[in-house]
Amino acid sequence: MNEQAGFTLRGRNPDVLTCIANLSNDEVFTPPEFANRMLDTLAEAWAARNGGANIWADSSVRFLDPFTKSGVFLREITTRLIAGLAEQIPDLQERVDHVLTRQVFGIGITQLTSLLARRSLYCSKHATGDHSVAKSFVSDDGNIWFERIEHSWVDGKCKFCGAGQNAFDRGEDLETHAYAFIHTDDIKARVTELFGDNMQFDVIIGNPPYQLDDGGFGTSAAPIYHKFVEQAKALEPRLLTMIIPARWFAGGKGLDEFRESMLTDDRVRLIDDYLSASDVFPGVGLKGGVCVFLWDRENPGSCRVSTHFKDWPVSTATRPLLEKDVDVFIRFNEGLSILKKVVAVEGGKTDSLSLSESKRFDRLVSSRKPFGLETTFKGKTTKVANDDLLIYQNGGTGYVARSLISTGVQLVDKWKIFAGYAAPGTGNKDTYPHRIISTPFIGEPGSISSETYLCIGPFDSRAETESALSYLSCRLTRLLILLHKPSQHVTRKVYTFVPTQDWTKRWTDADLYKRYGISDEEIAFIEKVVRPMEAGDD
């Protein structure tokens, strides 16, 4: 046995990769413990598809991390292969060389991370260095490739990743963050260029960069993680697993086509959904949580969906990712069963989760800028003319001349409800239970709002308005909003699953639970997710 290899491959304690600081919330290091959980799931999937075979005892399987940072996935894969191939390749040094030169490959995302990954994998920043555990490489890079790539600017944005030229067109002493894996029109040709001909990977695994500054107003950033997923699929591995932000579940900025492609792809066989990113990446604020998915090229079918949050019991169900007549992924398994009960009572379409047009609450909800006024609009501080309108605006109230309003005029002199366009803040983290929406309030006749609020109505009387307001305060109502709500923005669309009611009474959750036959277990779930809306909430 080679003494150096034997020493290096002994247990490591402490493990530096458990405490290394993240580069940013966009380039997050994966903790070794979580990387190993992903590898366990990968091994289970491989065994299920290959008659119980042990992936770690197969000397022909090739692995690629196309956006390696700390090198944790490659290191833990190598550790497992070295143990699994002990009988097939008894000599330790020969086994180490085989695994590192023929089975494990990576693409660094920056110069720094490529060096870090090589240090994690080869125990040396150079694969040919004196301290490297690999003895068969002829290149210092080994199988972890990195070269500086430049963006391809078109009208101020990179045509491949959408990065803003004003943010990333900079000197050679700074990283470009032009990731090689997504800066190409032909990913198969790019892989051949990097690693040689006939390089077919069986497994692609990793944690891609999440977003880049797109040069928009303020701190505008565009998601890019979906581009890595699409490129990985194009390489046609047997298995693909990544950890990515969960916001794609309902689409949004740059993600609508990706969402549709994922939700209609029956090769997505597993999703582990983590409602709080900090449960995976301690200390990282990433609104909307993260998910791990497993894509299986040769084994289409329904998806096993598991929901994880803090110390809650894990909820698991095997189901289609896209329900009939629904264009979003319904994130909570319990929420899906509750929604089905609501639709059944309200006479929705057969075998569908779509409410009939006459029962949809979203018909009462305005679009953004219900009266044509931006969030930045500020009314006069005092009422000048008798017909001046009261405006609810960012930071308080003001007055505006009636003659200035040409949008939403049918709502001006009616009773209505105003609800914030942005949900109440929880910082950059996900906490439960929370309110889901900002506290709505009644708008009397003669009042309007800026874009800060959506307008719900019209209603014929104050009594009707108070009835609808009590309904929006119910936990079940706000759970139905949450099921269609991908971000902090509360648009008209998030009310899609909410049915209208009879506006002649004050609604309570007890009324709604009885109406829809909500079980005790479902009530307990609702109350874990949605907190009461109390007087004084902002």
Side-chain angles (χ1 to χ4, degrees):
M1 177 185 294
N2 178 283
E3 290 183 0
Q4 184 182 37
F7 173 81
T8 303
L9 295 171
R10 287 205 298 266
R12 297 172 297 276
N13 187 25
D15 182 352
V16 68
L17 298 190
T18 64
C19 57
I20 192 168
N22 290 306
L23 300 176
S24 68
N25 284 355
D26 305 331
E27 295 176 346
V28 181
F29 291 127
T30 309
E33 182 272 338
F34 193 81
N36 274 294
R37 285 162 63 180
M38 290 177 64
L39 293 178
D40 288 342
T41 301
L42 177 71
E44 291 171 5
W46 183 273
R49 314 298 185 259
N50 295 279
N54 178 6
I55 192 172
W56 315 119
D58 191 328
S59 62
S60 67
V61 179
R62 286 176 176 158
F63 300 82
L64 173 67
D65 180 349
F67 22 76
T68 186
K69 294 183 284 292
S70 68
V72 64
F73 287 104
L74 302 179
R75 188 190 73 178
E76 299 306 319
I77 289 169
T78 297
T79 298
R80 291 174 179 232
L81 288 171
I82 287 171
L85 293 172
E87 290 188 12
Q88 184 177 343
I89 309 175
D91 181 81
L92 178 58
Q93 186 61 62
E94 181 183 351
R95 192 159 73 247
V96 169
D97 281 348
H98 175 86
V99 170
L100 294 180
T101 62
R102 300 185 186 182
Q103 292 192 262
V104 180
F105 300 79
I107 300 173
I109 63 168
T110 64
Q111 179 69 32
L112 173 63
T113 57
S114 68
L115 295 173
L116 180 58
R118 291 188 197 108
R119 181 64 180 81
S120 297
L121 188 59
Y122 306 135
C123 301
S124 170
K125 67 179 182 180
H126 300 303
T128 58
D130 292 340
H131 299 289
S132 174
V133 295
K135 302 303 177 184
S136 301
F137 283 120
V138 296
S139 165
D140 284 347
D141 292 345
N143 280 340
I144 298 179
W145 181 93
F146 176 79
E147 287 183 10
R148 181 185 175 92
I149 298 291
E150 299 297 333
H151 293 280
S152 298
W153 306 120
V154 177
D155 297 328
K157 291 185 181 293
C158 176
K159 71 174 185 178
F160 292 112
C161 69
Q165 186 172 4
N166 58 351
F168 291 100
D169 190 8
R170 48 200 191 178
E172 294 186 1
D173 55 332
L174 296 175
E175 291 283 359
T176 64
H177 296 281
Y179 306 112
F181 197 65
I182 61 174
H183 282 71
T184 177
D185 290 318
D186 189 338
I187 186 58
K188 291 186 176 181
R190 170 59 55 85
V191 167
T192 296
E193 172 192 343
L194 303 188
F195 299 116
D197 294 336
N198 302 317
M199 184 57 70
Q200 176 62 43
F201 293 102
D202 300 285
V203 175
I204 296 178
I205 185 171
N207 175 18
Y210 295 158
Q211 64 184 28
L212 278 178
D213 185 339
D214 62 2
F217 178 76
T219 57
S220 176
I224 59 171
Y225 57 88
H226 60 296
K227 298 180 183 293
F228 291 95
V229 177
E230 291 163 348
Q231 293 286 66
K233 282 187 178 183
L235 285 177
E236 300 179 304
R238 295 177 68 180
L239 293 175
L240 164 63
T241 183
M242 293 186 192
I243 179 167
I244 58 177
R247 290 186 180 183
W248 67 268
F249 288 163
K253 186 175 183 178
L255 293 171
D256 287 339
E257 289 185 8
F258 176 69
R259 173 203 62 190
E260 183 177 0
S261 70
M262 289 287 281
L263 296 182
T264 57
D265 189 344
D266 59 5
R267 294 166 295 179
V268 179
R269 299 303 313 278
L270 179 148
I271 290 178
D272 277 299
D273 179 20
Y274 294 84
L275 304 184
S276 174
S278 62
D279 287 348
V280 177
F281 306 119
V284 172
L286 190 65
K287 194 73 174 176
V290 295
C291 71
V292 176
F293 73 88
L294 177 75
W295 180 89
D296 189 333
R297 184 187 71 194
E298 298 170 354
N299 188 42
S302 294
C303 185
R304 190 184 79 196
V305 179
S306 298
T307 304
H308 307 256
F309 184 72
K310 305 298 182 186
D311 58 353
W312 294 6
V314 177
S315 167
T316 299
T318 299
R319 57 185 176 92
L321 291 178
L322 209 55
E323 300 289 333
K324 185 178 179 182
D325 294 327
V326 175
D327 63 352
V328 297
F329 170 68
I330 298 175
R331 192 167 190 182
F332 302 92
N333 295 321
E334 297 92 341
L336 179 59
S337 67
I338 293 168
L339 178 58
K340 287 180 177 179
K341 288 184 176 182
V342 171
V343 172
V345 170
E346 298 299 347
K349 298 177 182 177
T350 305
D351 299 325
S352 169
L353 289 181
S354 177
L355 293 165
S356 63
E357 190 67 26
S358 63
K359 291 295 297 185
R360 290 178 56 160
F361 189 89
D362 63 343
R363 294 184 306 116
L364 298 173
V365 183
S366 71
S367 58
R368 290 178 60 180
K369 293 190 284 190
F371 300 95
L373 302 176
E374 304 277 352
T375 297
T376 54
F377 180 87
K378 294 293 183 183
K380 298 173 292 187
T381 57
T382 58
K383 188 172 183 177
V384 176
N386 288 334
D387 64 349
D388 280 356
L389 303 175
L390 175 68
I391 178 171
Y392 292 95
Q393 59 194 19
N394 188 22
T397 59
Y399 294 91
V400 61
R402 182 182 290 264
S403 60
L404 293 178
I405 304 304
S406 59
T407 301
V409 291
Q410 76 280 7
L411 296 167
V412 171
D413 292 314
K414 293 287 189 176
W415 288 94
K416 48 202 166 275
I417 293 171
F418 292 120
Y421 173 62
T426 56
N428 201 28
K429 297 183 179 180
D430 293 285
T431 59
Y432 293 91
H434 60 82
R435 283 178 290 154
I436 315 302
I437 60 174
S438 294
T439 305
F441 59 92
I442 290 177
E444 62 275 28
S447 65
I448 61 172
S449 73
S450 70
E451 185 183 10
T452 300
Y453 302 97
L454 299 184
C455 183
I456 299 173
F459 300 98
D460 291 331
S461 66
R462 184 179 185 94
E464 280 194 359
T465 315
E466 289 176 343
S467 174
L469 185 66
S470 69
Y471 180 57
L472 288 173
S473 298
C474 291
R475 281 169 150 171
L476 177 57
T477 307
R478 288 179 284 132
L479 175 78
L480 296 174
I481 292 172
L482 178 64
L483 297 183
H484 210 295
K485 180 175 174 288
S487 69
Q488 74 178 87
H489 295 305
V490 186
T491 64
R492 170 197 282 168
K493 196 172 183 180
V494 306
Y495 292 88
T496 297
F497 295 146
V498 179
T500 57
Q501 302 293 347
D502 177 5
W503 307 128
T504 60
K505 59 176 288 184
R506 181 177 180 83
W507 287 94
T508 67
D509 272 310
D511 296 327
L512 295 177
Y513 294 156
K514 181 178 180 180
R515 176 174 175 81
Y516 297 115
I518 306 301
S519 69
D520 290 342
E521 292 77 12
E522 289 167 335
I523 291 172
F525 166 74
I526 293 169
E527 295 182 353
K528 282 198 303 185
V529 173
V530 186
R531 79 172 174 86
M533 186 172 283
E534 300 168 347
D537 280 345
D538 53 18

